Amino acid sequence: MVLALAIAGVVLAAGVAFGAAPIVGTADNMYSAPTYTIDQGEVAQLQVTGSTHNATAHPAGPDGKALFRSPTISGGQTAAVDGTQYLTAGNYTFFCTIHPSTMQATLTVTNSGTPVARPHADLSLKSKKLSKAVKKGLLVGVTTNTTVDGATLTAMLGKAVIGRVTVSLAAGPQVELVKLNKAGKSKLRARSTAKVTVTANVPFGSPATAKGKLS
């Protein structure tokens, strides 16, 4: 219940409206209807009257995860189906990952309303000195168009992950620190220069990448 309320709080803080008619998961492991309708920009709600369910889109979004998804909740609880606020008009199938054979439905998004802009980030590698990066980590400039919870910044040297951090981002420019793991520090110490790539995986948005040279 705490997770559901937290998600709802984030969505309300962003000024997004909830859909009026909730998706209902019943005690007999069914959705209460084959189709549910919201306007563009609205966040659908999942209401569970019995058992334990979620609502998870079949298609993947730009972050590689389900296009929209709710937490898994139990009877008597309600949660936001996050990601529906970004949808354009159309029909989107979804299911319950716990009961996939019996719980399949369609979310119809009307032509009314306006979709919320998807989260977007631009990155730049601020660190330039290799020795300083080994000691303190990589400084990464991040500019986002909105607040983002649970963004993951991953630093790589070639195909090797040398550091990773999950952060919450405010709208606008900021600088984040990606501390290096032991293997990453060892790899950089053995070099006089290094080309590093940092990728931001943003929930419901496309990944962003920055490259830079340390010397």
Side-chain angles (χ1 to χ4, degrees):
M1 184 63 173
V2 174
L3 177 60
L5 290 173
I7 292 175
V10 170
V11 174
L12 286 173
V16 179
F18 284 103
I23 298 165
V24 179
T26 66
D28 55 357
N29 297 334
M30 299 284 289
Y31 289 124
S32 63
T35 303
Y36 299 89
T37 301
I38 62 171
D39 293 335
Q40 294 178 108
E42 289 185 332
V43 177
Q45 297 178 77
L46 172 66
Q47 182 182 81
V48 174
T49 58
S51 190
T52 300
H53 307 305
N54 59 55
T56 304
H58 279 109
D63 61 355
K65 299 179 180 179
L67 186 61
F68 54 86
R69 58 254 188 188
S70 77
T72 297
I73 57 175
S74 299
Q77 297 181 340
T78 300
V81 185
D82 205 8
T84 60
Q85 67 268 37
Y86 308 119
L87 300 177
T88 56
N91 297 314
Y92 303 86
T93 59
F94 64 93
F95 69 113
C96 173
T97 60
I98 301 174
H99 309 101
S101 62
T102 59
M103 298 186 71
Q104 306 269 344
T106 299
L107 180 68
T108 296
V109 181
T110 73
N111 287 314
S112 299
T114 303
V116 175
R118 286 190 176 277
H120 173 77
D122 292 310
L123 302 184
S124 61
L125 184 63
K126 298 294 186 181
S127 295
K128 302 297 181 183
K129 292 188 177 182
L130 191 148
S131 59
K132 191 172 182 179
V134 170
K135 291 180 180 179
K136 297 186 176 181
L138 296 170
L139 291 176
V140 181
V142 185
T143 301
T144 60
N145 63 334
T146 185
T147 56
V148 177
D149 290 320
T152 300
L153 304 178
T154 303
M156 301 189 72
L157 180 64
K159 295 183 179 180
V161 175
I162 60 174
R164 178 176 285 142
V165 65
T166 299
V167 295
S168 293
L169 302 170
Q174 56 233 274
V175 177
E176 297 293 334
L177 176 66
V178 181
K179 291 185 176 181
L180 303 183
N181 54 38
K182 290 183 179 180
K185 291 179 180 180
S186 178
K187 289 178 182 295
L188 289 184
R189 285 194 186 101
R191 293 170 173 260
S192 58
T193 63
K195 292 182 179 180
V196 175
T197 300
V198 180
T199 299
N201 290 312
V202 178
F204 302 104
S206 298
T209 301
K211 296 182 179 181
K213 184 177 180 180
L214 304 174
S215 58

